[in-house]
Amino acid sequence: MSTDGMRHGPLPVGAVDVAVIGAGVVGAAVARELAGYDLSVALVEARCDVGDGTSKANTAILHTGFDATPGTLESRLVRRGYDLLGAYAAATGIPVERTGAVLVAWTEEELAALPGLAGKAAANGCRDCAPAGPDEVYAMVPALGPGVLGGLTVPGESIVCPWTTTLAFATEALARGVHLLLNARVEAVARDGGQTVLSTSRGPLRARWVVNAAGLGSDAVDGLFGHRRFTVTPRRGELLVFDKAARPLADRIVLPVPGSRGKGVLISPTVYGNVMLGPTAEELEDRMDTSTSEDGFAFLAGRGRRLMPALLEEEVTAAYAGLRAATEHGDYQVHLDPAGRYLVLGGIRSTGLTASMALAEHAAGLLAGAGLALEPRAGLPGPPRMPNIGEAFPRPYQRADLVERDPAYGTVVCFCERVTAGEVRDALAAPLPPGDLDGLRRRTRATMGRCQGFHCGAEIDRLLREGAR
């Protein structure tokens, strides 16, 4: 598959109204939102695909925001984003499972913290959280290890597909006329009258307004605009993914009592039918280091044996690591420079998936307040209907109506994940096709199962190469 980004056209001639830097879940949401108005918008991404950075490797939880710090921007936007993304997922087919969660206390100190967390949840608008005794916790999750002292239920916590979410935003943005510029790393910034000139690896792009949603690179881009307001420190989170046979052990999210370095190690089902254990929290200097480590595996295995011993008896399908854009501040770093017509959305941590649509809404409001005219565009296309890659919903190979109309949906090419030739074909022919094999995995689940492509890799690679012709 060609990864030169040109399949979405050359750089725009003349200046666009808004350039959004970064096509992760937040940047794609912002581009989609702004394209709902009478504006020309460019979405600029350094990589060969959307959602190929932080957005592809998080814990995939649709957060209620129950444990956010009340009064923060993050708290408000997570709560608003939870409602917005929930409704959007229902409209577009993004896989969501309303599993609920239980916060588990293993020590007297953690048990003593639960009433405060319940109060924080209420302050954040989550008034359905309830205390649970140890017997109740074990009734909800019988496979937990010994020593549970109590818990706090969080009924609204859910699991979601982060890959389909970013893809849906970007697909709708394209339908609304957004210029998607892949492989276009922003290398320099200059002002020219009332415009900003972004020097990218594909050439110059002129814009009247710029939104920086560059994730791990948001502080570097902020520096190109002359600011030093925050520093992103990549925080690596390693996770273990267990085989689908482990799913009955964890039918809801099991959360630890949060600590100063984050939410800690959790156990969560995934929408793909697996169970996930993690993440770790290791601060790095290398913003590209998504490798896994022996120490990380040992740490997670040790925690897993205490939390849920039976889980460690199951097969590990995969291990992966994601990088979170941690900063020295305790809240999202959203700063507007009206004179420079520039907005930065930085320090967006793992809650950014949930908050993405609310961040986009908030960004549009800030830009409008700074003078950007937002006239709703008439005749907008409806939201896209995304292919289902969630395990809790009928997959194409299970639908007799699809198979009868098109036998390709009954031709399985990835047997671990039951991915069909029809799904691969559709992904390659979509308005936003994958840029590489990793992108195809995120669109179809091909090669992400038990054998990790050992049996189907050659056939998937052939389909990918043929689809690029």
Side-chain angles (χ1 to χ4, degrees), residues 278-416:
T280 59
E282 179 186 5
E283 294 190 351
L284 305 175
E285 293 184 3
D286 186 349
R287 302 187 184 209
M288 301 295 289
D289 186 2
T290 56
S291 61
T292 55
S293 67
E294 184 177 347
D295 288 345
F297 186 94
F299 173 78
L300 292 176
R303 292 302 300 272
R305 287 190 185 95
R306 181 189 178 190
L307 296 172
M308 189 175 285
L311 183 60
L312 271 294
E313 300 300 318
E314 301 291 338
E315 295 287 338
V316 173
T317 295
Y320 72 93
L323 297 176
R324 290 160 280 177
T327 73
E328 67 273 39
H329 303 285
D331 200 359
Y332 293 164
Q333 292 301 290
V334 176
H335 302 283
L336 176 67
D337 178 7
R341 295 184 174 184
Y342 166 69
L343 172 66
V344 57
L345 307 175
I348 311 299
R349 295 164 295 195
S350 59
T351 55
L353 170 61
T354 301
S356 55
M357 296 187 76
L359 275 159
E361 186 180 72
H362 183 60
L366 291 174
L367 293 172
L372 177 63
L374 297 184
E375 293 294 332
R377 177 174 291 164
L380 287 175
R385 190 68 189 176
M386 305 304 294
N388 168 53
I389 60 172
E391 195 69 8
F393 312 93
R395 300 279 303 285
Y397 78 93
Q398 297 171 313
R399 293 183 51 186
D401 60 328
L402 283 182
V403 176
E404 184 177 359
R405 290 200 304 268
D406 187 345
Y409 292 117
T411 305
V412 175
V413 293
C414 172
F415 287 89
C416 295

Side-chain angles (χ1 to χ4, degrees), residues 71-97:
T72 60
L73 181 63
E74 181 178 20
S75 170
R76 177 164 63 87
L77 295 184
V78 168
R79 189 62 183 166
R80 171 67 174 158
Y82 177 87
D83 294 333
L84 290 174
L85 183 52
Y88 188 74
T92 59
I94 295 170
V96 172
E97 289 186 50

Side-chain angles (χ1 to χ4, degrees), residues 152-167:
L152 182 72
T153 62
V154 191
E157 293 284 286
S158 305
I159 55 176
V160 63
C161 179
W163 306 331
T164 310
T165 301
T166 305
L167 185 62

Side-chain angles (χ1 to χ4, degrees), residues 43-68:
L43 180 58
V44 186
E45 171 55 44
R47 298 178 184 244
C48 71
D49 199 1
V50 301
D52 195 39
T54 298
S55 298
K56 73 179 180 183
N58 61 27
T59 50
I61 294 177
L62 185 59
H63 292 287
T64 58
F66 80 97
D67 59 347

